[in-house]
Amino acid sequence: MTTERFSKRYNRKEIEEKWRRKWSEDNIYKFRYDPEKPMYVVDTPPPYVNAEHLHVGHIMSYSQAEFVVRFKRMRGYNVFYPMGFDDNGYPTEKFVENKYKVDKRTISKQEFIDLCLKETEIGAQNYKDLWTQLGISVDWDLTYSTISPLAVKVSQRSLLDLNNKGLLYRKESPILWCTQCDTAVAQADLEDKEFTVKLNYITLKSVSGKDLTIATTRPELLPACVALYVNPNDKRYKKLVGLKAIIPLFQHEVPIKTSDEVDPEFGTGLMMVCTWGDQGDVKKWLTDGLDSRIVLGRNGKLNELAGVYQNLRVEKARPLIIKDLDRKGFLRKQEELTHTVNVHERCNTPIEFVNSKQWFIKIVDNKNIWLEFGSKIDWHPKSRFNDYRVWVDSLKWDWCISRQRYYGVPFPIWYCNDCDEPHFVPEEQLPHNPATDNCLFEKCRKCGSSKFIPEVDVVETWATSSCTPFLIKELVKNQEIKEKVFPNSLRPNAFEIIRTWDFYSIVKSYYHFNTIPFKDLMISGHGLDEEGRKISKRLGNYIPSAELLEMYGADGIRYWATGAELGSNLRFSKDEIEKGKRLATKLWNAARLICSHVDEFKEINLADLNLESVDIWIVQQLNKTISKVTKGFEEYTYSISRNDLEEFFWRIFADYYVEFIKYRLYGSDIKSKETATATAYVVFLAILKMYAPILPFVTEEIYSRISFGSEESIHLSNWPEPINLKKSVNDFDQVIQAVDEIRKHKTSQGVSLGEWIESYKFDTNVDLKKYKEFLQNVGRVKVLE
RNA sequence: GGGUUCGUAGCUCAGUUGGCUAGAGCGUCUGGUUUACACCCAGAAGGUCGCAGGUUCGAGCCCUGCCGAACCCACCA
């Protein structure tokens, strides 16, 4: 007897800690290249490094992708699994502003960047610790950060290429602007938000002295009003078309025009149109021969057109103007109006349109290409492709990539001081930062001037992270491997960044290499709190990840993460985590039992043994399970795999098979005992391997005690294959039914299942000639008929 | 206004080309210390599958309409 191989209790904490250390020391997740084997390249989302908000959602989505990665590794792929840290850009700046109570306007640029870099380092370490705790099997020698010189170089090279291909342009035009963050933003950075505001009915006079009433939610934009519009079919206003009206308080005259866009039912049917600053299809109004009256500046304040209201921010100016309109008798009434407004997703501030010069990447004209290339990718689940399609359809603006921020990838551009001609730093000089590096140009190629000014804007973060599919190529030197890294095999990410990370990656891979960036997309849902609410800092409805891992251990939490089908949200559930812990214990105990009967662990070929029907039956069940579980992982439906595996392990293997062979394990027939032990061992080993991607710690611990041969880790071992026995049973269902019948009988009689009873007569039609002895022993009945 | 997903037991959810009596876990109830495991085992109760039609020999699954939820898009004077 060798029960001492396993202690009575599975010591989760100690064992998980041991393997974390050992995996790292032995470097078992290091990328190994075997030219004979296929590559499996994963472009994992580089998380934002401000790690204070880490919660189960992060654990969930990274675990879900990692189940598949571990599976692929065991299936014999050369797994290339790097990890990045997305540290450049707005989230880090915001984090620093909050943590240090500073503002980018009130601190020197360099000081601010230094703080960002410092936090970046702390954040990356937090993440690394967390992923290690969780058992995420990335190769820590393959890491990058999006602010590193390598990432800057790749990002800048991308801009150069786009510029050479005529896909990058700089233009002064009305753009989407966040007055809070003080920067241009892209369409993808917008979100819908409902606001309840006042709809103000304001009276103005036509030049002929007639009273007119408009309804507006934005009275502070009156100074920018350039026209009034009515629907051409609106009889009330037919006579007014072509006349002019006088704007109250500001006294300028505007024409009254018609457009089908105007809804006669809204407000008074008379609509005020302003130049930029207001939401709406700006371009359309601009082509209508209207004056340009810009009242809102990039600083979010009203300009000189606003007269006495100059230099006020929108939210300050609005009530003042309303007050003055009311005092002078122009305000007829106010109504409550609930409407949705585009806000900046980072700060929830309503977006304004301001006139500004920015860099853009052409995307609007190529919608058909984005759809075509998007459809070439295998979406898991398929339905999420629709999110992508809808997004591409709704594109209205080219991709504005310049940001008036500090902490990001610099544009490698110098402008001629005299004629504004942009000069791109040549590729061999990258990475380049015009804010700190010397100017590389002597004379403007256009006007000959020798004065240059640096571009001080930075590239938005997505313009860099959209390069990750080919950025990770740069993490290896070997040319042969490089070629196989891109396009990648898998991009796993949550659904809310389909329109940013995924979309922009497709754009860049098409423009640079005319290919899709990755073959498969795995879209995960969100982790929710126990009530099904979104997890947010504001609600405080989550336990920080590190604490969670400390409380429950990695295996239990990973088990919880298998609970949601791919693409679905998943509620946090202590019960599910507990279930995962119980599963680990169950595996531990099963190993204890089986191994107490094995003297030596060795390679066993079951086909060579004289198997009994019950042994053949369990192997058949195992084979079915292997096929189903394998298929599930292949299709990224790890939750289905987990269900199939659990049904087999717990219900069929533990509750039936193990009970079925106990009389042999403890009996005197040595041959029969050996066969049963061997079968149980082989089947259990396969179960253990199939659980390895989900529960890497407990499976590794058990494996280390019961494996044979040279395989150092279960995670580097081969995925189980169905076993060919060359014989089969097909009448075992009736045996199961017969066993159930005896169990039911004993339970209803209040008799312990372990107690021998004198006799029993079956209702079930079972072949007693063949199975009588088996049923007597398993059911503990002396006489059966 | 448009789209996507979803609505199945008290709760959380499976149900993969339409096919015997609709499943699991948790919870509840009954019984059992059975030489791996009470972190266990055996069993029971509990569902007009959101509603109303339709197609079909047959619908939880397919079609139409409606109700409700979440998310996305558009409008947003």
Side-chain angles (χ1 to χ4, degrees):
Chain A
M1 293 286 277
T2 49
T3 29
E4 66 274 15
R5 281 197 195 106
F6 289 92
S7 57
K8 183 137 175 74
R9 289 279 155 115
Y10 171 62
N11 188 334
R12 189 259 305 167
K13 250 187 177 143
E14 199 177 284
I15 289 171
E16 288 195 358
E17 196 44 49
K18 176 178 98 185
W19 287 109
R20 264 177 215 120
R21 221 178 28 243
K22 188 139 173 50
W23 289 336
S24 157
E25 281 166 13
D26 297 353
N27 228 339
I28 72 160
Y29 304 124
K30 190 172 176 50
F31 171 63
R32 290 168 173 78
Y33 182 66
D34 178 347
E36 301 298 310
K37 292 178 175 177
M39 292 279 286
Y40 192 76
V41 180
V42 189
D43 184 20
T44 294
Y48 289 127
V49 291
N50 44 329
E52 282 189 356
H53 68 292
L54 281 175
H55 53 68
V56 286
H58 301 84
I59 288 186
M60 186 192 90
S61 57
Y62 280 82
S63 298
Q64 290 174 346
E66 211 253 353
F67 302 146
V68 175
V69 175
R70 283 184 180 271
F71 166 74
K72 293 285 180 183
R73 193 181 286 118
M74 293 174 78
R75 289 283 277 178
Y77 287 82
N78 296 323
V79 167
F80 189 81
Y81 192 25
M83 179 63 76
F85 297 106
D86 196 8
D87 32 38
N88 88 61
Y90 186 75
T92 306
E93 290 196 18
K94 187 86 190 162
F95 181 71
V96 164
E97 285 181 347
N98 286 340
K99 180 163 176 180
Y100 294 95
K101 307 274 175 261
V102 294
D103 188 308
K104 75 160 194 173
R105 300 169 184 129
T106 59
I107 182 174
S108 96
K109 191 167 168 174
Q110 197 51 51
E111 264 180 284
F112 187 69
I113 291 174
D114 287 344
L115 284 178
C116 289
L117 282 167
K118 181 179 154 197
E119 284 306 315
T120 291
E121 229 166 272
I122 298 172
Q125 192 56 45
N126 281 341
Y127 261 104
K128 190 177 171 184
D129 291 348
L130 176 69
W131 296 149
T132 308
Q133 286 290 110
L134 191 56
I136 298 290
S137 60
V138 301
D139 180 351
W140 290 106
D141 290 334
L142 299 176
T143 58
Y144 64 90
S145 113
T146 55
I147 199 68
S148 67
L150 172 68
V152 172
K153 187 175 165 179
V154 169
S155 182
Q156 292 185 335
R157 200 162 58 197
S158 162
L159 295 179
L160 241 59
D161 189 48
L162 292 171
N163 188 55
N164 291 337
K165 289 173 173 162
L167 299 163
L168 183 69
Y169 67 92
R170 187 182 184 219
K171 191 184 171 193
E172 176 160 2
S173 69
I175 52 145
L176 301 164
W177 186 267
C178 177
T179 58
Q180 170 68 35
C181 304
D182 213 10
T183 180
V185 297
Q187 191 183 342
D189 304 326
L190 305 184
E191 227 170 48
D192 285 352
K193 203 178 176 190
E194 266 205 351
F195 285 93
T196 299
V197 293
K198 291 273 191 292
L199 182 62
N200 304 286
Y201 287 77
I202 296 167
T203 307
L204 31 72
K205 299 244 186 255
S206 74
V207 282
S208 56
K210 195 169 157 40
D211 273 0
L212 299 171
T213 305
I214 56 160
T216 179
T217 58
R218 310 272 327 245
E220 72 279 9
L221 294 179
L222 279 173
C225 179
V226 285
L228 300 183
Y229 271 78
V230 297
N231 190 293
N233 300 320
D234 195 332
K235 287 180 191 144
R236 294 172 295 177
Y237 300 114
K238 267 227 156 90
K239 286 182 185 157
L240 290 170
V241 176
L243 296 177
K244 294 206 163 185
I246 301 159
I247 302 296
L249 301 187
F250 303 97
Q251 305 306 328
H252 63 282
E253 291 182 7
V254 298
I256 299 170
K257 301 179 144 236
T258 62
S259 167
D260 292 333
E261 297 290 312
V262 180
D263 175 6
E265 302 295 315
F266 188 93
T268 59
L270 188 61
M271 173 185 186
M272 154 179 120
V273 172
C274 306
T275 307
W276 321 330
D278 206 354
Q279 305 194 16
D281 193 343
V282 179
K283 286 170 198 149
K284 189 167 72 43
W285 307 120
L286 284 179
T287 57
D288 207 12
L290 296 174
D291 290 346
S292 172
R293 295 180 68 88
I294 304 165
V295 72
L296 192 65
R298 276 175 45 160
N299 54 8
K301 293 176 180 171
L302 302 182
N303 63 18
E304 66 284 355
L305 272 185
V308 296
Y309 310 102
Q310 186 176 354
N311 282 332
L312 291 176
R313 293 183 66 86
V314 165
E315 55 274 20
K316 289 245 168 68
R318 188 180 298 171
L320 283 179
I321 288 178
I322 284 296
K323 206 171 134 200
D324 289 343
L325 283 167
D326 192 23
R327 221 184 45 217
K328 296 190 177 172
F330 292 114
L331 183 65
R332 251 189 61 199
K333 62 171 175 171
Q334 289 187 309
E335 277 175 2
E336 291 240 309
L337 175 71
T338 301
H339 66 168
T340 46
V341 172
N342 276 140
V343 297
H344 186 202
E345 62 164 2
R346 302 283 182 203
C347 64
N348 281 331
T349 308
I351 286 297
E352 302 286 357
F353 291 82
V354 306
N355 200 40
S356 179
K357 207 168 195 176
Q358 306 285 340
W359 285 97
F360 296 87
I361 295 173
K362 284 186 188 170
I363 51 172
V364 170
D365 292 341
N366 287 330
K367 288 188 188 184
N368 53 341
I369 295 174
W370 312 139
L371 290 177
E372 185 198 332
F373 274 67
S375 69
K376 285 182 182 177
I377 293 168
D378 274 326
W379 292 72
H380 302 271
K382 264 196 171 60
S383 58
R384 284 295 185 182
F385 175 61
N386 194 60
D387 291 20
Y388 175 85
R389 197 175 51 71
V390 168
W391 169 248
V392 170
D393 280 341
S394 74
L395 278 174
K396 241 172 24 182
W397 299 73
D398 274 341
W399 181 12
C400 175
I401 58 162
S402 39
R403 294 289 180 275
Q404 289 64 54
R405 304 289 311 184
Y406 288 172
Y407 189 56
V409 171
F411 281 88
I413 298 172
W414 290 81
Y415 302 104
C416 170
N417 185 57
D418 298 336
C419 73
D420 204 30
E421 175 74 2
H423 289 62
F424 280 77
V425 173
E427 185 173 342
E428 52 291 359
Q429 301 288 339
L430 301 180
H432 180 88
N433 184 357
T436 53
D437 296 342
N438 290 328
C439 180
L440 300 168
F441 303 101
E442 287 173 359
K443 267 177 113 171
C444 172
R445 64 163 168 263
K446 200 169 160 195
C447 75
S449 163
S450 58
K451 279 190 185 162
F452 284 87
I453 50 174
E455 171 61 88
V456 293
D457 285 355
V458 296
V459 179
E460 84 140 318
T461 186
W462 295 116
T464 301
S465 48
S466 55
C467 299
T468 56
F470 43 94
L471 189 157
I472 57 177
K473 247 168 83 170
E474 308 298 329
L475 299 176
V476 286
K477 296 220 166 66
N478 180 313
Q479 196 54 37
E480 185 185 331
I481 300 173
K482 265 190 192 197
E483 296 305 317
K484 292 183 177 178
V485 167
F486 180 83
N488 314 148
S489 316
L490 174 68
R491 158 71 63 89
N493 58 252
F495 63 85
E496 77 272 16
I497 54 175
I498 291 173
R499 67 183 192 178
T500 48
W501 198 34
D502 294 334
F503 171 66
Y504 292 144
S505 295
I506 291 169
V507 168
K508 288 228 171 164
S509 286
Y510 170 73
Y511 280 157
H512 295 313
F513 309 107
N514 193 21
T515 179
I516 49 171
F518 29 75
K519 292 190 200 75
D520 290 358
L521 245 172
M522 184 179 177
I523 306 290
S524 59
H526 275 154
L528 306 174
D529 77 358
E530 275 170 296
E531 277 86 55
R533 295 172 304 177
K534 208 168 161 175
I535 290 176
S536 77
K537 215 170 179 174
R538 191 175 52 79
L539 290 172
N541 53 349
Y542 64 95
I543 303 170
S545 294
E547 226 171 284
L548 215 52
L549 278 158
E550 180 65 26
M551 282 163 71
Y552 297 106
D555 280 341
I557 294 176
R558 292 172 63 104
Y559 179 86
W560 163 76
T562 62
E565 238 188 312
L566 187 58
S568 303
N569 296 338
L570 178 63
R571 291 184 181 200
F572 177 72
S573 161
K574 283 188 189 116
D575 289 349
E576 280 298 299
I577 297 175
E578 290 293 341
K579 221 174 120 192
K581 282 170 70 178
R582 272 186 290 144
L583 174 61
T585 307
K586 187 83 180 173
L587 284 165
W588 182 259
N589 283 315
R592 277 180 72 202
L593 170 71
I594 295 162
C595 296
S596 66
H597 297 278
V598 177
D599 294 323
E600 183 198 357
F601 298 110
K602 54 176 190 285
E603 176 98 56
I604 294 165
N605 188 350
L606 291 181
D608 297 341
L609 300 179
N610 186 24
L611 298 188
E612 297 181 15
S613 292
V614 64
D615 305 325
I616 298 169
W617 167 75
I618 195 67
V619 172
Q620 285 172 339
Q621 298 294 318
L622 171 71
N623 288 347
K624 267 192 232 168
T625 304
I626 291 175
S627 303
K628 281 195 282 189
V629 172
T630 306
K631 183 165 173 274
F633 277 118
E634 292 282 6
E635 292 170 359
Y636 301 108
T637 52
Y638 49 81
S639 65
I640 295 175
S641 288
R642 186 264 268 177
N643 286 341
D644 289 336
L645 183 53
E646 196 158 299
E647 165 73 17
F648 176 66
F649 167 58
W650 206 306
R651 302 273 81 92
I652 297 179
F653 182 74
D655 291 347
Y656 282 121
Y657 184 72
V658 170
E659 295 304 322
F660 290 171
I661 61 169
K662 273 186 180 165
Y663 76 93
R664 291 157 70 191
L665 296 184
Y666 296 102
S668 55
D669 184 339
I670 300 299
K671 275 271 165 256
S672 176
K673 174 180 168 167
E674 275 176 11
T675 311
T677 312
T679 308
Y681 174 68
V682 169
V683 172
F684 182 69
L685 206 55
I687 290 169
L688 205 59
K689 287 186 174 193
M690 287 189 279
Y691 267 124
I694 297 169
L695 309 171
F697 293 94
V698 67
T699 53
E700 181 79 313
E701 176 65 20
I702 296 172
Y703 187 79
S704 74
R705 293 161 187 255
I706 70 170
S707 65
F708 54 84
S710 59
E711 281 164 350
E712 54 183 312
S713 163
I714 193 170
H715 304 299
L716 301 177
S717 72
N718 293 322
W719 187 254
E721 295 288 341
I723 299 163
N724 185 2
L725 290 180
K726 302 195 182 78
K727 47 193 161 186
S728 64
V729 292
N730 50 29
D731 58 355
F732 214 80
D733 284 353
Q734 52 170 308
V735 179
I736 299 291
Q737 227 178 327
V739 169
D740 286 345
E741 196 186 316
I742 299 174
R743 285 177 174 179
K744 212 172 278 190
H745 170 74
K746 284 188 166 179
T747 300
S748 68
Q749 300 298 306
V751 178
S752 157
L753 294 183
E755 198 174 311
W756 281 88
I757 57 173
E758 285 305 315
S759 67
Y760 186 73
K761 184 175 187 311
F762 281 118
D763 287 333
T764 305
N765 189 18
V766 60
D767 186 349
L768 280 180
K769 239 187 252 155
K770 197 169 164 191
Y771 293 112
K772 189 169 191 174
E773 197 194 328
F774 174 83
L775 286 168
Q776 280 171 331
N777 281 306
V778 169
R780 302 200 180 191
V781 185
K782 286 177 186 160
V783 180
L784 273 181
E785 48 184 313

